[in-house]
Amino acid sequence: MRDKRMKKIEIPKWGNYLRRTWRERFANSLSKEEQDEIWVDDFLWHICSWDKGRCLKKEKAITAFLQQTKPKCTIFYQFNDDAYLLENADTLLINDLPYIQDNMDYNDLYVMDWKGKWTFVMTHEPECGPYFIQID
């Protein structure tokens, strides 16, 4: 991360909490049964790939993410509890994200606004995502 004002803080073992928070914020329009039908327990981003929520995809998702103000946001993963809090992250770029293409522990990545107003998701499947969801 090139911006010296940006601050990255490791928040170990926050993965479960952040995944639960993400689900409550971005999948709450679906019933438990609807979430089970699309295997949200396996991948939170299935709400996007199964078209069960309003989201932007591909380049539109990237553009929306880059345009967000990011005074505080979190980064976390689907399959591990590593997580980060970023402060003053307005200049955060896609290449700055700790995403590792061929590593299942680090390639289903979620960036979530601290207030839960938006999320940006990168997946392990090249044909799926990235995705961006914004809550009004």
Side-chain angles (χ1 to χ4, degrees):
M1 291 182 220
R2 292 162 290 212
D3 188 336
K4 293 182 194 292
R5 293 172 299 149
M6 191 179 328
K7 186 176 179 182
K8 180 180 173 184
I9 303 164
E10 287 188 43
I11 45 177
K13 301 182 182 173
W14 271 49
N16 278 332
Y17 169 77
L18 292 170
R19 286 187 293 275
R20 187 172 56 251
T21 300
W22 193 100
R23 189 173 183 162
E24 289 167 1
R25 290 294 296 155
F26 300 105
N28 67 350
S29 64
L30 302 176
S31 69
K32 176 70 171 122
E33 293 77 23
E34 290 172 311
Q35 291 181 34
D36 290 346
E37 286 173 5
I38 62 170
W39 301 296
V40 168
D41 284 337
D42 294 339
F43 296 101
L44 296 171
W45 55 263
H46 277 180
I47 69 165
C48 298
S49 63
W50 286 73
D51 293 320
K52 295 295 184 178
R54 288 183 33 212
C55 70
L56 298 174
K57 300 175 182 180
K58 306 282 183 195
E59 289 302 319
K60 288 182 180 181
I62 293 170
T63 299
F65 170 68
L66 294 175
Q67 292 174 346
Q68 297 306 303
T69 58
K70 303 172 196 76
K72 212 183 247 192
C73 60
T74 57
I75 297 174
F76 59 98
Y77 302 95
Q78 185 75 53
F79 295 113
N80 75 57
D81 288 335
D82 291 352
Y84 305 93
L85 170 62
L86 273 58
E87 296 178 345
N88 302 317
D90 289 339
T91 60
L92 182 67
L93 300 175
I94 303 301
N95 290 338
D96 294 330
L97 296 173
Y99 173 89
I100 303 173
Q101 177 66 42
D102 294 321
N103 185 323
M104 281 301 284
D105 284 337
Y106 296 96
N107 66 4
D108 286 298
L109 175 140
Y110 300 81
V111 181
M112 182 172 60
D113 172 57
W114 186 253
K115 295 181 180 179
K117 301 235 181 231
W118 57 263
T119 186
F120 177 73
V121 181
M122 295 178 67
T123 77
H124 69 277
E125 294 186 21
E127 66 278 1
C128 294
Y131 300 111
F132 182 86
I133 303 171
Q134 186 158 16
I135 297 175
D136 299 325

